[in-house]
Amino acid sequence: HIPHWSKWSMLSLASPAASGFAPLRGPALLLTEVSTVGFDARAYRAKMQKLSAPLRAAARTADRLAATVCMSDTARKALWKPGAMAPSYLDGTLAGDAGFDPLTLTALASKSLPDLLTGGWPSQSQRELIMARMTPTERRAAVAKMREAEIRHARLAMLAAAGWPLSELLQGGRAPSVLNGGLGDGPVPFFLVLAAGAAAYVEYLSEEAANQASGLGPAAPRLAGDFGFDPLGVMAEEGAYRRKELSANELFNGRLAMLAITGFAAQEFLWGTPVVEQTPFFFGR
């Protein structure tokens, strides 16, 4: 046993008055308990885990910050701006990855849409902190979610960039849109419902195929935007390098289409005339 005077010294260290010895309070209480009631291995392990929990949490946070904030040997230059560096989570493995995320919008993948719409939009510094706190697995999942959204919008924009001027060439006037109106006229509502149903069916088939493959054993991770739709077998006949090149080409065209369809809507809203009349040289007029 520990001498009687030593017990009182330990109790004084563990008392609230000894606030200057806060780091010693936990060990002092533990030694006092051992000297008074004897050694309990189970209680000892529980107390040691409780005492070390803050240190382990701090170590995990430091590892995450170091993995995201510190520059490493894998850091690369961004392709979209001379002299800019790509974020660590955009490492060039995805097709069409130019290292472009100056606003750290990838952090929004962890936020729900209702939260964003009701005022939960984080600031730039908060978005950077969200990315810093993510584990490598969480960062990869966030990038994959944003890539999925990008490629869906890109494909929709490519269809719209072709359909918008075609509708104006065939029927005259401005194309139906949110700003132009006309979305409830004629066969437009039926076509919108049909298009949404077809897209949902293709996604359903893709999810079913993925679920069946996972039930048969380990499967290769699904690429963003890959719904198994390749009726001509273009991708199936190519190697890995060529597949990535084709995916990048699809994204480049989709990004250009998103800019084009935004320009169509803005031009017709501001000038009030069909885009085929504003730029007739693009449409053989």
PDB file of all heavy atoms in Angstrom, residues 181-211:
ATOM      1  N   GLY A 181     -41.298  30.532 -71.347  1.00  0.00           N
ATOM      2  CA  GLY A 181     -42.660  30.010 -71.204  1.00  0.00           C
ATOM      3  C   GLY A 181     -42.928  28.919 -72.227  1.00  0.00           C
ATOM      4  O   GLY A 181     -42.055  28.515 -72.996  1.00  0.00           O
ATOM      5  N   GLY A 182     -44.167  28.438 -72.251  1.00  0.00           N
ATOM      6  CA  GLY A 182     -44.561  27.445 -73.233  1.00  0.00           C
ATOM      7  C   GLY A 182     -44.325  26.008 -72.811  1.00  0.00           C
ATOM      8  O   GLY A 182     -44.550  25.086 -73.607  1.00  0.00           O
ATOM      9  N   LEU A 183     -43.872  25.772 -71.570  1.00  0.00           N
ATOM     10  CA  LEU A 183     -43.632  24.405 -71.131  1.00  0.00           C
ATOM     11  C   LEU A 183     -44.923  23.614 -70.923  1.00  0.00           C
ATOM     12  O   LEU A 183     -44.898  22.387 -70.875  1.00  0.00           O
ATOM     13  CB  LEU A 183     -42.822  24.394 -69.823  1.00  0.00           C
ATOM     14  CG  LEU A 183     -41.372  24.871 -69.932  1.00  0.00           C
ATOM     15  CD1 LEU A 183     -40.702  24.867 -68.568  1.00  0.00           C
ATOM     16  CD2 LEU A 183     -40.583  23.997 -70.902  1.00  0.00           C
ATOM     17  N   GLY A 184     -46.037  24.312 -70.811  1.00  0.00           N
ATOM     18  CA  GLY A 184     -47.320  23.626 -70.636  1.00  0.00           C
ATOM     19  C   GLY A 184     -48.158  23.575 -71.891  1.00  0.00           C
ATOM     20  O   GLY A 184     -49.326  23.197 -71.835  1.00  0.00           O
ATOM     21  N   ASP A 185     -47.583  23.955 -73.023  1.00  0.00           N
ATOM     22  CA  ASP A 185     -48.336  24.014 -74.273  1.00  0.00           C
ATOM     23  C   ASP A 185     -48.161  22.743 -75.084  1.00  0.00           C
ATOM     24  O   ASP A 185     -47.061  22.184 -75.167  1.00  0.00           O
ATOM     25  CB  ASP A 185     -47.882  25.217 -75.116  1.00  0.00           C
ATOM     26  CG  ASP A 185     -48.112  26.540 -74.400  1.00  0.00           C
ATOM     27  OD1 ASP A 185     -48.910  26.566 -73.456  1.00  0.00           O
ATOM     28  OD2 ASP A 185     -47.445  27.539 -74.772  1.00  0.00           O
ATOM     29  N   GLY A 186     -49.242  22.312 -75.740  1.00  0.00           N
ATOM     30  CA  GLY A 186     -49.182  21.214 -76.703  1.00  0.00           C
ATOM     31  C   GLY A 186     -48.607  19.937 -76.124  1.00  0.00           C
ATOM     32  O   GLY A 186     -48.911  19.549 -74.978  1.00  0.00           O
ATOM     33  N   PRO A 187     -47.745  19.264 -76.883  1.00  0.00           N
ATOM     34  CA  PRO A 187     -47.192  17.983 -76.429  1.00  0.00           C
ATOM     35  C   PRO A 187     -45.977  18.110 -75.512  1.00  0.00           C
ATOM     36  O   PRO A 187     -45.384  17.092 -75.146  1.00  0.00           O
ATOM     37  CB  PRO A 187     -46.787  17.316 -77.756  1.00  0.00           C
ATOM     38  CG  PRO A 187     -46.405  18.464 -78.633  1.00  0.00           C
ATOM     39  CD  PRO A 187     -47.321  19.600 -78.255  1.00  0.00           C
ATOM     40  N   VAL A 188     -45.601  19.337 -75.150  1.00  0.00           N
ATOM     41  CA  VAL A 188     -44.384  19.529 -74.345  1.00  0.00           C
ATOM     42  C   VAL A 188     -44.468  18.804 -73.001  1.00  0.00           C
ATOM     43  O   VAL A 188     -43.520  18.087 -72.623  1.00  0.00           O
ATOM     44  CB  VAL A 188     -44.087  21.026 -74.152  1.00  0.00           C
ATOM     45  CG1 VAL A 188     -42.892  21.220 -73.215  1.00  0.00           C
ATOM     46  CG2 VAL A 188     -43.815  21.686 -75.493  1.00  0.00           C
ATOM     47  N   PRO A 189     -45.578  18.933 -72.229  1.00  0.00           N
ATOM     48  CA  PRO A 189     -45.619  18.216 -70.942  1.00  0.00           C
ATOM     49  C   PRO A 189     -45.497  16.704 -71.101  1.00  0.00           C
ATOM     50  O   PRO A 189     -44.803  16.049 -70.314  1.00  0.00           O
ATOM     51  CB  PRO A 189     -46.982  18.614 -70.366  1.00  0.00           C
ATOM     52  CG  PRO A 189     -47.336  19.881 -71.051  1.00  0.00           C
ATOM     53  CD  PRO A 189     -46.763  19.769 -72.416  1.00  0.00           C
ATOM     54  N   PHE A 190     -46.158  16.151 -72.114  1.00  0.00           N
ATOM     55  CA  PHE A 190     -46.075  14.703 -72.349  1.00  0.00           C
ATOM     56  C   PHE A 190     -44.644  14.290 -72.658  1.00  0.00           C
ATOM     57  O   PHE A 190     -44.158  13.266 -72.158  1.00  0.00           O
ATOM     58  CB  PHE A 190     -46.999  14.322 -73.504  1.00  0.00           C
ATOM     59  CG  PHE A 190     -46.847  12.898 -73.947  1.00  0.00           C
ATOM     60  CD1 PHE A 190     -47.400  11.864 -73.206  1.00  0.00           C
ATOM     61  CD2 PHE A 190     -46.142  12.593 -75.102  1.00  0.00           C
ATOM     62  CE1 PHE A 190     -47.247  10.547 -73.608  1.00  0.00           C
ATOM     63  CE2 PHE A 190     -45.991  11.290 -75.515  1.00  0.00           C
ATOM     64  CZ  PHE A 190     -46.546  10.256 -74.757  1.00  0.00           C
ATOM     65  N   PHE A 191     -43.943  15.074 -73.467  1.00  0.00           N
ATOM     66  CA  PHE A 191     -42.558  14.746 -73.811  1.00  0.00           C
ATOM     67  C   PHE A 191     -41.661  14.819 -72.584  1.00  0.00           C
ATOM     68  O   PHE A 191     -40.770  13.973 -72.410  1.00  0.00           O
ATOM     69  CB  PHE A 191     -42.047  15.702 -74.892  1.00  0.00           C
ATOM     70  CG  PHE A 191     -40.599  15.501 -75.229  1.00  0.00           C
ATOM     71  CD1 PHE A 191     -40.198  14.445 -76.030  1.00  0.00           C
ATOM     72  CD2 PHE A 191     -39.637  16.355 -74.731  1.00  0.00           C
ATOM     73  CE1 PHE A 191     -38.857  14.246 -76.331  1.00  0.00           C
ATOM     74  CE2 PHE A 191     -38.299  16.164 -75.023  1.00  0.00           C
ATOM     75  CZ  PHE A 191     -37.909  15.109 -75.835  1.00  0.00           C
ATOM     76  N   LEU A 192     -41.876  15.800 -71.707  1.00  0.00           N
ATOM     77  CA  LEU A 192     -41.051  15.929 -70.507  1.00  0.00           C
ATOM     78  C   LEU A 192     -41.236  14.733 -69.583  1.00  0.00           C
ATOM     79  O   LEU A 192     -40.267  14.194 -69.034  1.00  0.00           O
ATOM     80  CB  LEU A 192     -41.403  17.224 -69.767  1.00  0.00           C
ATOM     81  CG  LEU A 192     -41.035  18.537 -70.480  1.00  0.00           C
ATOM     82  CD1 LEU A 192     -41.525  19.730 -69.676  1.00  0.00           C
ATOM     83  CD2 LEU A 192     -39.526  18.621 -70.691  1.00  0.00           C
ATOM     84  N   VAL A 193     -42.493  14.306 -69.416  1.00  0.00           N
ATOM     85  CA  VAL A 193     -42.762  13.144 -68.572  1.00  0.00           C
ATOM     86  C   VAL A 193     -42.147  11.889 -69.186  1.00  0.00           C
ATOM     87  O   VAL A 193     -41.562  11.050 -68.490  1.00  0.00           O
ATOM     88  CB  VAL A 193     -44.277  12.970 -68.365  1.00  0.00           C
ATOM     89  CG1 VAL A 193     -44.582  11.666 -67.644  1.00  0.00           C
ATOM     90  CG2 VAL A 193     -44.844  14.149 -67.585  1.00  0.00           C
ATOM     91  N   LEU A 194     -42.260  11.758 -70.501  1.00  0.00           N
ATOM     92  CA  LEU A 194     -41.692  10.595 -71.186  1.00  0.00           C
ATOM     93  C   LEU A 194     -40.166  10.558 -71.040  1.00  0.00           C
ATOM     94  O   LEU A 194     -39.582   9.492 -70.775  1.00  0.00           O
ATOM     95  CB  LEU A 194     -42.084  10.625 -72.660  1.00  0.00           C
ATOM     96  CG  LEU A 194     -41.632   9.433 -73.517  1.00  0.00           C
ATOM     97  CD1 LEU A 194     -42.307   8.165 -73.013  1.00  0.00           C
ATOM     98  CD2 LEU A 194     -41.971   9.672 -74.978  1.00  0.00           C
ATOM     99  N   ALA A 195     -39.520  11.695 -71.191  1.00  0.00           N
ATOM    100  CA  ALA A 195     -38.061  11.754 -71.071  1.00  0.00           C
ATOM    101  C   ALA A 195     -37.613  11.432 -69.650  1.00  0.00           C
ATOM    102  O   ALA A 195     -36.637  10.694 -69.444  1.00  0.00           O
ATOM    103  CB  ALA A 195     -37.559  13.130 -71.491  1.00  0.00           C
ATOM    104  N   ALA A 196     -38.330  11.968 -68.652  1.00  0.00           N
ATOM    105  CA  ALA A 196     -37.977  11.688 -67.256  1.00  0.00           C
ATOM    106  C   ALA A 196     -38.181  10.210 -66.938  1.00  0.00           C
ATOM    107  O   ALA A 196     -37.358   9.597 -66.228  1.00  0.00           O
ATOM    108  CB  ALA A 196     -38.816  12.557 -66.318  1.00  0.00           C
ATOM    109  N   GLY A 197     -39.262   9.621 -67.458  1.00  0.00           N
ATOM    110  CA  GLY A 197     -39.500   8.195 -67.222  1.00  0.00           C
ATOM    111  C   GLY A 197     -38.435   7.317 -67.858  1.00  0.00           C
ATOM    112  O   GLY A 197     -37.991   6.326 -67.264  1.00  0.00           O
ATOM    113  N   ALA A 198     -37.992   7.675 -69.062  1.00  0.00           N
ATOM    114  CA  ALA A 198     -36.952   6.895 -69.735  1.00  0.00           C
ATOM    115  C   ALA A 198     -35.627   6.976 -68.981  1.00  0.00           C
ATOM    116  O   ALA A 198     -34.929   5.958 -68.817  1.00  0.00           O
ATOM    117  CB  ALA A 198     -36.774   7.397 -71.166  1.00  0.00           C
ATOM    118  N   ALA A 199     -35.290   8.159 -68.505  1.00  0.00           N
ATOM    119  CA  ALA A 199     -34.049   8.311 -67.739  1.00  0.00           C
ATOM    120  C   ALA A 199     -34.108   7.517 -66.441  1.00  0.00           C
ATOM    121  O   ALA A 199     -33.123   6.869 -66.045  1.00  0.00           O
ATOM    122  CB  ALA A 199     -33.793   9.787 -67.451  1.00  0.00           C
ATOM    123  N   ALA A 200     -35.253   7.551 -65.773  1.00  0.00           N
ATOM    124  CA  ALA A 200     -35.401   6.802 -64.523  1.00  0.00           C
ATOM    125  C   ALA A 200     -35.310   5.296 -64.773  1.00  0.00           C
ATOM    126  O   ALA A 200     -34.745   4.552 -63.968  1.00  0.00           O
ATOM    127  CB  ALA A 200     -36.731   7.144 -63.864  1.00  0.00           C
ATOM    128  N   TYR A 201     -35.859   4.827 -65.902  1.00  0.00           N
ATOM    129  CA  TYR A 201     -35.815   3.398 -66.212  1.00  0.00           C
ATOM    130  C   TYR A 201     -34.378   2.938 -66.481  1.00  0.00           C
ATOM    131  O   TYR A 201     -33.967   1.864 -66.030  1.00  0.00           O
ATOM    132  CB  TYR A 201     -36.691   3.115 -67.425  1.00  0.00           C
ATOM    133  CG  TYR A 201     -36.732   1.651 -67.814  1.00  0.00           C
ATOM    134  CD1 TYR A 201     -37.350   0.715 -66.986  1.00  0.00           C
ATOM    135  CD2 TYR A 201     -36.144   1.211 -68.994  1.00  0.00           C
ATOM    136  CE1 TYR A 201     -37.378  -0.626 -67.329  1.00  0.00           C
ATOM    137  CE2 TYR A 201     -36.170  -0.125 -69.350  1.00  0.00           C
ATOM    138  CZ  TYR A 201     -36.786  -1.039 -68.511  1.00  0.00           C
ATOM    139  OH  TYR A 201     -36.804  -2.361 -68.852  1.00  0.00           O
ATOM    140  N   VAL A 202     -33.608   3.747 -67.201  1.00  0.00           N
ATOM    141  CA  VAL A 202     -32.213   3.396 -67.465  1.00  0.00           C
ATOM    142  C   VAL A 202     -31.425   3.327 -66.159  1.00  0.00           C
ATOM    143  O   VAL A 202     -30.613   2.413 -65.937  1.00  0.00           O
ATOM    144  CB  VAL A 202     -31.572   4.411 -68.434  1.00  0.00           C
ATOM    145  CG1 VAL A 202     -30.073   4.186 -68.540  1.00  0.00           C
ATOM    146  CG2 VAL A 202     -32.211   4.307 -69.808  1.00  0.00           C
ATOM    147  N   GLU A 203     -31.676   4.264 -65.251  1.00  0.00           N
ATOM    148  CA  GLU A 203     -30.985   4.256 -63.968  1.00  0.00           C
ATOM    149  C   GLU A 203     -31.413   3.052 -63.130  1.00  0.00           C
ATOM    150  O   GLU A 203     -30.590   2.440 -62.429  1.00  0.00           O
ATOM    151  CB  GLU A 203     -31.273   5.554 -63.209  1.00  0.00           C
ATOM    152  CG  GLU A 203     -30.479   5.690 -61.922  1.00  0.00           C
ATOM    153  CD  GLU A 203     -30.560   7.089 -61.335  1.00  0.00           C
ATOM    154  OE1 GLU A 203     -31.139   7.966 -61.990  1.00  0.00           O
ATOM    155  OE2 GLU A 203     -30.031   7.282 -60.228  1.00  0.00           O
ATOM    156  N   TYR A 204     -32.691   2.687 -63.223  1.00  0.00           N
ATOM    157  CA  TYR A 204     -33.178   1.511 -62.487  1.00  0.00           C
ATOM    158  C   TYR A 204     -32.482   0.246 -62.965  1.00  0.00           C
ATOM    159  O   TYR A 204     -32.062  -0.594 -62.156  1.00  0.00           O
ATOM    160  CB  TYR A 204     -34.690   1.390 -62.670  1.00  0.00           C
ATOM    161  CG  TYR A 204     -35.254   0.051 -62.278  1.00  0.00           C
ATOM    162  CD1 TYR A 204     -35.418  -0.287 -60.935  1.00  0.00           C
ATOM    163  CD2 TYR A 204     -35.624  -0.881 -63.250  1.00  0.00           C
ATOM    164  CE1 TYR A 204     -35.928  -1.520 -60.582  1.00  0.00           C
ATOM    165  CE2 TYR A 204     -36.134  -2.113 -62.903  1.00  0.00           C
ATOM    166  CZ  TYR A 204     -36.284  -2.431 -61.566  1.00  0.00           C
ATOM    167  OH  TYR A 204     -36.788  -3.663 -61.206  1.00  0.00           O
ATOM    168  N   LEU A 205     -32.338   0.084 -64.279  1.00  0.00           N
ATOM    169  CA  LEU A 205     -31.650  -1.087 -64.819  1.00  0.00           C
ATOM    170  C   LEU A 205     -30.197  -1.135 -64.355  1.00  0.00           C
ATOM    171  O   LEU A 205     -29.667  -2.211 -64.046  1.00  0.00           O
ATOM    172  CB  LEU A 205     -31.714  -1.068 -66.349  1.00  0.00           C
ATOM    173  CG  LEU A 205     -33.091  -1.260 -66.986  1.00  0.00           C
ATOM    174  CD1 LEU A 205     -32.985  -1.190 -68.506  1.00  0.00           C
ATOM    175  CD2 LEU A 205     -33.717  -2.584 -66.557  1.00  0.00           C
ATOM    176  N   SER A 206     -29.549   0.027 -64.297  1.00  0.00           N
ATOM    177  CA  SER A 206     -28.168   0.079 -63.850  1.00  0.00           C
ATOM    178  C   SER A 206     -28.043  -0.334 -62.387  1.00  0.00           C
ATOM    179  O   SER A 206     -27.141  -1.100 -62.014  1.00  0.00           O
ATOM    180  CB  SER A 206     -27.597   1.483 -64.047  1.00  0.00           C
ATOM    181  OG  SER A 206     -26.312   1.593 -63.496  1.00  0.00           O
ATOM    182  N   GLU A 207     -28.948   0.149 -61.542  1.00  0.00           N
ATOM    183  CA  GLU A 207     -28.903  -0.197 -60.124  1.00  0.00           C
ATOM    184  C   GLU A 207     -29.189  -1.676 -59.914  1.00  0.00           C
ATOM    185  O   GLU A 207     -28.566  -2.332 -59.071  1.00  0.00           O
ATOM    186  CB  GLU A 207     -29.911   0.657 -59.351  1.00  0.00           C
ATOM    187  CG  GLU A 207     -29.580   2.139 -59.307  1.00  0.00           C
ATOM    188  CD  GLU A 207     -28.308   2.419 -58.542  1.00  0.00           C
ATOM    189  OE1 GLU A 207     -27.948   1.611 -57.658  1.00  0.00           O
ATOM    190  OE2 GLU A 207     -27.652   3.434 -58.843  1.00  0.00           O
ATOM    191  N   GLU A 208     -30.113  -2.228 -60.684  1.00  0.00           N
ATOM    192  CA  GLU A 208     -30.421  -3.651 -60.568  1.00  0.00           C
ATOM    193  C   GLU A 208     -29.226  -4.501 -60.960  1.00  0.00           C
ATOM    194  O   GLU A 208     -28.896  -5.496 -60.306  1.00  0.00           O
ATOM    195  CB  GLU A 208     -31.625  -4.003 -61.452  1.00  0.00           C
ATOM    196  CG  GLU A 208     -32.961  -3.608 -60.860  1.00  0.00           C
ATOM    197  CD  GLU A 208     -33.271  -4.387 -59.592  1.00  0.00           C
ATOM    198  OE1 GLU A 208     -33.240  -5.632 -59.636  1.00  0.00           O
ATOM    199  OE2 GLU A 208     -33.517  -3.749 -58.563  1.00  0.00           O
ATOM    200  N   ALA A 209     -28.554  -4.120 -62.035  1.00  0.00           N
ATOM    201  CA  ALA A 209     -27.371  -4.865 -62.468  1.00  0.00           C
ATOM    202  C   ALA A 209     -26.271  -4.795 -61.411  1.00  0.00           C
ATOM    203  O   ALA A 209     -25.583  -5.790 -61.142  1.00  0.00           O
ATOM    204  CB  ALA A 209     -26.869  -4.316 -63.791  1.00  0.00           C
ATOM    205  N   ALA A 210     -26.094  -3.624 -60.789  1.00  0.00           N
ATOM    206  CA  ALA A 210     -25.073  -3.475 -59.746  1.00  0.00           C
ATOM    207  C   ALA A 210     -25.413  -4.320 -58.525  1.00  0.00           C
ATOM    208  O   ALA A 210     -24.537  -4.942 -57.914  1.00  0.00           O
ATOM    209  CB  ALA A 210     -24.923  -2.004 -59.354  1.00  0.00           C
ATOM    210  N   ASN A 211     -26.692  -4.367 -58.157  1.00  0.00           N
ATOM    211  CA  ASN A 211     -27.102  -5.165 -57.001  1.00  0.00           C
ATOM    212  C   ASN A 211     -26.898  -6.653 -57.251  1.00  0.00           C
ATOM    213  O   ASN A 211     -26.468  -7.400 -56.366  1.00  0.00           O
ATOM    214  CB  ASN A 211     -28.565  -4.881 -56.673  1.00  0.00           C
ATOM    215  CG  ASN A 211     -28.786  -3.480 -56.144  1.00  0.00           C
ATOM    216  OD1 ASN A 211     -27.867  -2.854 -55.616  1.00  0.00           O
ATOM    217  ND2 ASN A 211     -30.001  -2.966 -56.294  1.00  0.00           N
TER     218      ASN A 211
END
